[in-house]
Amino acid sequence: MKVKQLIPEIAHISSFKRYGKVNRVIGMMIESRGPQASIGDVCYIHLKDTCERIQAEVVGFKDEHVILMPYTSVRYIGPGCIVETTEKPLQVKVGPELIGQALDSLGNPLDGTSLPSYLPSVLTEQEPPNPLQRPPISEPIEVGVRAIDSLLTVGKGQRIGIFAGSGVGKSTLMGMIARNTNADINVIALVGERGREVREFIERDLGSEGLRNSIVVVATSDQPPLLRMKAAYTATSIAEYFRSQGLNVMMMMDSVTRVAMAQREIGLAVGEPPTTKGYTPSVFASLPRLLERTGTTEQGSITAFYTVLVDGDDMNEPIADTVRGIVDGHIVLDRNLANKGQYPAINVLKSVSRVMNHIVEANHKISAEKLRLLLSTYIEAEDLINIGAYKRGSSAEIDEAILYYPELISFLKQKTSEHPTLKDSVEILKQLFQKGERT
């Protein structure tokens, strides 16, 4: 690097360090008198009688005090501890060396190894791309899940919400997508997961095949809310880096609901008023800024799947409603289908891809609409059929739906070991309705 290029960097380097002192600790919040800092700046809190220091972030101000929240617990922090500001927000290292790794919210490998020092660093909080610099979504991306590729076709750079209650198969579906997709790289954020489930997801759902082309960012449920929230931003920053290198990135986040819960905890701690179901205004302001960062740019694309954990299978709860209004489509996992043994338990009648009509050919679209019509007709008459009240010949539409129904369900089911291509899924869908008139 030439000396002239270093001059602007040198000009912004402060010639002295700024310090403050902890005044009191309330719950998760730390109040300090000083140092001079901005919202989002990372600070070091030096513990008394030790050489240790912990990282904290400036989350607000009150009177003349700086309000910080630590990335770890508040244990061992007391009045008089020195607070040193870095005058910089959180940054993480990025590069191809991260592929195949499981990282924490700060971008450090969970296995205790260190990343190379030469890797570049990026800010975890970035502005979404300029809307006029987003190329339109024009081609599909292969997901490797038959029901999605054929009936809910996803485009490169599309953002999809996966809405489901607990235990309906979100992690299994994410693992199938990570293993089967033809994207260049996967970035997976596990936010607020149980500690037991992290290794299970990596070894069972993702597998060595999926991990070989993936980066996993983990924040477990026992960690402070700031770390849980930062996991989402760190994963998004890593995905943005690879997008800027011209790659097509597949990003998956499980779950946005837990990100919102972490933001709610932070908001309530700094004194924000609770609104809908206790969520603070900052939750509904931060979600669009986070979700809009993915998508297409002139360099590459980030195709994103965001899972939303709906309480009591209520699809209209506040976070589900907000996310559904931001993303470009939604996939609903139905507990009733899971109870019947249909996996993945995707309710195709309640799901929609908002870009599908612009990226598929006419015959594909016609076949998908035909399947939806037959499935909807059967479900509407299912009660009558099951109790024997329906007589064959009463309705030609219902008769046709009854004939096709077993094949439709067989088509929608898929074993985790299956790896259908996008082309194969579409061809099988078309062949369902190319066998001539049935008797």
Side-chain angles (χ1 to χ4, degrees):
M1 185 179 289
K2 297 181 180 179
V3 176
K4 289 184 179 179
Q5 294 175 319
L6 292 173
I7 292 177
E9 299 292 333
I10 295 172
H12 287 89
I13 296 176
S14 177
S15 58
F16 58 92
K17 291 185 177 181
R18 295 180 169 86
Y19 293 93
K21 188 177 289 186
V22 172
N23 187 47
R24 63 175 179 169
V25 179
I26 306 174
M28 300 176 294
M29 311 308 298
I30 302 166
E31 282 190 12
S32 71
R33 189 174 293 276
Q36 182 179 336
S38 303
I39 295 289
D41 282 358
V42 175
C43 296
Y44 291 112
I45 300 177
H46 297 264
L47 304 180
K48 286 185 176 181
D49 304 324
T50 69
C51 296
E52 295 182 13
R53 62 183 187 177
I54 66 171
Q55 285 182 297
E57 184 173 305
V58 178
V59 294
F61 303 97
K62 184 178 181 181
D63 299 328
E64 298 179 358
H65 294 98
V66 178
I67 302 177
L68 304 112
M69 180 171 280
Y71 290 140
T72 58
S73 68
V74 295
R75 192 178 181 186
Y76 304 125
I77 300 174
C81 289
I82 299 300
V83 181
E84 174 191 351
T85 179
T86 64
E87 300 183 18
K88 295 179 181 178
L90 181 64
Q91 298 182 0
V92 294
K93 292 182 178 181
V94 291
E97 290 79 0
L98 272 60
I99 300 174
Q101 296 257 27
L103 311 174
D104 64 16
S105 300
L106 306 182
N108 303 312
L110 285 176
D111 59 7
T113 59
S114 299
L115 295 173
S117 58
Y118 57 79
L119 292 180
S121 296
V122 296
L123 295 173
T124 58
E125 297 200 34
Q126 307 267 7
E127 290 297 318
N130 187 315
L132 294 183
Q133 295 177 352
R134 288 182 181 268
I137 298 172
S138 57
E139 58 179 310
I141 188 170
E142 184 176 297
V143 173
V145 179
R146 193 159 46 239
I148 297 177
D149 281 340
S150 59
L151 304 173
L152 305 163
T153 310
V154 177
K156 287 183 180 178
Q158 186 175 353
R159 299 159 305 152
I160 294 282
I162 300 177
F163 296 78
S166 57
V168 189
K170 296 188 302 299
S171 297
T172 303
L173 180 60
M174 287 174 55
M176 291 173 66
I177 294 173
R179 292 193 307 272
N180 299 345
T181 181
N182 64 351
D184 297 316
I185 187 172
N186 303 311
V187 179
I188 304 170
L190 303 178
V191 183
E193 288 288 336
R194 304 176 186 90
R196 171 186 61 81
E197 293 179 333
V198 173
R199 186 168 178 177
E200 287 183 1
F201 174 80
I202 293 174
E203 294 183 357
R204 297 179 186 176
D205 296 325
L206 192 58
S208 57
E209 179 186 355
L211 185 61
R212 194 180 303 119
N213 198 40
S214 302
I215 300 169
V216 184
V217 181
V218 178
T220 52
S221 58
D222 60 294
Q223 294 181 327
L226 189 59
L227 271 188
R228 282 180 269 138
M229 188 185 72
K230 286 298 177 183
Y233 287 87
T234 295
T236 304
S237 296
I238 293 171
E240 287 173 326
Y241 168 79
F242 286 103
R243 177 179 63 185
S244 69
Q245 304 301 305
L247 301 181
N248 293 313
V249 183
M250 176 66 72
M251 179 176 170
M252 286 169 277
M253 186 180 296
D254 184 18
S255 70
V256 174
T257 306
R258 295 190 180 111
V259 176
M261 288 177 175
Q263 179 65 56
R264 176 175 63 181
E265 290 180 49
I266 297 170
L268 292 174
V270 299
E272 280 191 79
T275 54
T276 309
K277 281 200 172 182
Y279 289 103
T280 57
S282 62
V283 173
F284 302 102
S286 63
L287 281 179
R289 290 201 303 269
L290 175 63
L291 304 188
E292 286 288 351
R293 288 170 60 180
T294 55
T296 59
T297 64
E298 295 174 350
Q299 292 80 30
S301 68
I302 302 175
T303 306
F305 285 85
Y306 298 102
T307 70
V308 181
L309 184 63
V310 290
D311 295 333
D313 295 329
D314 178 13
M315 298 297 170
N316 296 315
E317 60 95 26
I319 300 304
D321 224 19
T322 301
V323 172
R324 190 163 48 240
I326 299 171
V327 295
D328 309 313
H330 54 272
I331 295 172
V332 176
L333 300 186
D334 195 320
R335 190 177 301 278
N336 291 329
L337 296 180
N339 292 339
K340 294 177 181 178
Q342 179 179 324
Y343 288 101
I346 299 173
N347 189 325
V348 296
L349 299 180
K350 294 183 179 179
S351 307
V352 65
S353 170
R354 293 178 182 170
V355 304
M356 178 178 174
N357 290 341
H358 306 294
I359 59 174
V360 300
E361 59 181 14
N363 290 338
H364 179 182
K365 182 180 175 182
I366 292 171
S367 298
E369 290 176 349
K370 176 74 171 177
L371 188 148
R372 286 175 176 272
L373 178 60
L374 290 170
L375 192 60
S376 175
T377 301
Y378 183 90
I379 289 175
E380 287 178 1
E382 187 172 20
D383 290 341
L384 294 176
I385 296 170
N386 289 339
I387 65 175
Y390 175 76
K391 293 183 179 181
R392 186 172 180 177
S394 301
S395 168
E397 292 80 8
I398 296 177
D399 289 344
E400 185 182 20
I402 293 172
L403 285 173
Y404 273 104
Y405 185 71
E407 289 190 38
L408 302 184
I409 297 303
S410 178
F411 174 80
L412 295 174
K413 286 183 177 181
Q414 181 177 330
K415 296 179 180 179
T416 56
S417 58
E418 291 184 62
H419 183 181
T421 64
L422 173 64
K423 183 178 179 181
D424 290 342
S425 297
V426 174
E427 284 302 316
I428 294 172
L429 173 65
K430 292 178 180 177
Q431 289 171 10
L432 286 177
F433 309 112
Q434 290 179 350
K435 296 180 180 179
E437 184 177 351
R438 302 193 176 195
T439 58

